[in-house]
Amino acid sequence: MFRTALRNVLAHKARLLMTVLAVMLGVAFVSGTLVFTDTLGNAFSKQSAKSYDNVAVAVETYAGGHDEKTPGIDEATLEKIRGLDGVASATGRVNGFAGVADPDGKLIGNGWSNTGANFAPGEDGKDPSYDFTDGSGPAKNGTVALDKDTASKGEYRVGDPVRVATNGPVKEYTLSGIFTTEDGAVNAGGSLVLFNTPTAQKLYLKPGVFQNATVSAAGGVSDQKLLDAIEPLLPKDATAQTGEALADQQAKDIENGMAGLNGMLLAFAGIALFVGVFLIANTFTMLIAQRTRELALMRAIGATRRQIKRSVLLEAAVVGTLASVIGFTLGLGLATGLRSAMGLLGGKIPAGPLVVSPTAVLSAFAVGILITVLAAWLPARRAAKIAPVAAMSSVHATASTKSLVVRNSIGGVIALLGAAGIVGGAAAGGTSGRQLVAGGAFFALIGVIILIPLLSRPVIALVRPLLKKLFGVSGKLASQNAVRNPRRTGATASALAIGLTLVTGISVLGVTLGQAIDKMTTDNIKADYMVSMASGDALDESALKALAKADGVSALSPQQATWFEVDGGGYSASGVTPGDVEKVFSLTTVSGSLGSLEDGQVAVGSKTAKTHGWKTGDTLPVTFDDEKKGKVTVGALYEENEFLSPFLIPKELADKHSASSRPDIREIWIKADGGASKANEQSIVDALGDNPAMSVMDRQDIRDMFGGFINTALNIMYGLLAMALLIAVLGVVNTLAMSVFERQQEIGMLRAIGLDRGRVKRMIRLEAVVISLFGAVIGVGLGVFLGWAIGQTLSADVPGYALVIPWDRLGLFLLLAALVGVLASLWPARSAAKLNMLTAIKTE
């Protein structure tokens, strides 16, 4: 039977090609994902381990800014550590944000990974963390060193002036040297600026204090012994670990970080393979139908049902193995390509080999072979059930009425359960609702897939008159052919339906959320500009003072984050400028007056006030951010604004009770004379000292900032789902090719009675379009339903949420589905038109 199976594979190479392609694509995605994430994880783990090669103990604190609660490591503590037996050296480190401008004055890097640190040379004048390729480290005030990539992007050379922005005003330094580093921030596409230690301490902490320290051991001294000796010397906010333990922890963190990316990519590979199941099952069903007499003859000469089933499954295993080998090879290329793409997008991946783990190899082959064999199991079972006499007298074995009734009944029950789960999840909302919707979606998809053959006849019947009217005989024959074998049509349409269900659901949800966010921006903001730090850190007070003097600024207010406790509960508050806050934000007063802010009173969001029974005129006992107690009077209630906290307090009051010497100004909102214009924007940029680290955004930029993530996510989803749709296209090609092969005699007869080659081609094309559009309509309908349900679970958390149906995109999806049908039919239609009519008529 093995020889028989192998012979059948070799005899039907062309017909099994689509199956090989489908499995190959899925396996390539699985293996490529595993190899890519393993390679990334291995490279970053080795880089992390390398950075701790000479570290016996690493000390960390949470000191930052000018926070007195976390003092950090002072020089005296560091000297005590250096004096311990077995300590070879102890180096203090301090770091924070630092941005460098390119030749056009724009920030080099992405903001969040632009860092500054101190250059800490040893007795030999070198810092082991950095290798200088040009010049030397910043030994004196007013000098800096840059990493090689940043210097190249900025076209800087040793001796050039470099404008560096930290969280204060931009300053100019002289470039003393250029270095290479394995620093994670630089590898993530950011930049690294080295200052001398006094300058870095002044910028990021305070003189004589470090955030972290690394300790190296003398020869023969164990890391654990040093750790035990160091821990009693440290301040209470500090933690210490051996270098080995810290490297292991970072390796685990990297592995956990890779798990999310790994899971997402494997989910899309799973979708592609799930779609491929229909193509594989369809292929084997059609191959078995064409070999009915052959199988019957084998049964007649003594082959058992088990042997017939085993023969078909062996064919599937051979096909799966071949596809897995090719797919795995392509997966290695995909992993290499993804690694290169990350480099082009600005992410620098540490050097290292391509990691091909046994898990990746076994997973890829197991998935490819298992999916193919499972998809072929049902056709194999049907083949084994063929009675020899019945099979030898009929080429096509039709499904019994009983089997169709059972199938449709089961499909109906499953679809109803799925629909109930989706509706129930939409009503429940929240995380539990989304889980219910996900479960319901799975059952709904399965139910629809089972019911698709039943749905094909009535749905396609609706378009039959139109096809006949527009395309005559070709249109009539195409509509009849499309429903001749409902199971085959259903299996082919199912693949497209699954892909378009996901694409449509994501589109509906994405467009709806995008418009809600856009509306939130439009409805809540009056300001023409928003100023913030590219790093996400707080702005310096000097920026607010500079903008107050800028030409064209008619009103401005900070959004200064603070906190206080009221009635045992903690609440965030926004420190704002009285009199200007209502000019830059859309604030609707429910009671009282926002003018009361000028008298030192506070305004409370109406929903928050209603929850606690607060009203205008109430005096509330509070504990401020600096832990001092006091009382505030509610001067106004206002409708909540999504850009502000539930409490609005005068900036003067926020400054008075700030826990830090530096106010936490997250944004500055500006209203300009005459609205947004190039002149007003330039005036703001000039007032800020042309600081590359400060972002100046107009209303459109703000909308793009919030909506950009959704659009990017949508494009990524479309790209990943494209593979599933490609496999669906292969399914249409496969179905039509098999259909043409089966109907050679019929096509020959049609040619003989006057149907010319052009109309034969048109018939096949229309059949493909009908099947594709049928699957697309099912997918789009189900996708809209799912998009609505998931949106309902999010509506409570998204202000202004309202379902938006993107009719233009849905129309485009249907148009693309029709185009898919046309393209998929090119080869089968050409093959049908080229058939010799006399030879075709004689074909059995």
Side-chain angles (χ1 to χ4, degrees), residues 510-524 643 702-703 705-708 710 798-800:
V511 171
T512 299
L513 290 176
Q515 291 214 9
I517 289 172
D518 189 69
K519 187 175 186 296
M520 177 183 73
T521 306
T522 304
D523 291 352
N524 287 285
F643 292 87
I702 297 168
R703 283 197 290 264
M705 178 181 69
F706 287 105
I710 292 176
V798 181

Side-chain angles (χ1 to χ4, degrees), residues 271 275 494-504 721 724-725 728 779:
I271 292 168
V275 171
S494 294
L496 272 172
I498 293 168
L500 281 171
T501 295
L502 297 171
V503 169
T504 302
L721 287 172
L725 293 173

Side-chain angles (χ1 to χ4, degrees), residues 49 69 137 158 179 252 258 321 330 339 384 423 475 510 515 612 618 634 646 656 672 701 731 774 785:
K69 297 179 182 178
V158 172
F179 58 90
K252 288 181 182 177
M258 291 291 109
T321 303
L330 286 176
R339 184 172 176 171
V423 173
Q515 291 214 9
H612 296 277
D618 285 353
V634 178
K656 182 179 178 181
D701 293 330
F774 170 57
F785 182 42

Side-chain angles (χ1 to χ4, degrees), residues 94-123:
V94 61
N95 58 68
F97 169 77
V100 180
D102 66 12
D104 297 323
K106 303 298 182 182
L107 183 68
I108 297 173
N110 45 33
W112 59 267
S113 61
N114 290 344
T115 57
N118 65 308
F119 176 68
E123 292 180 1

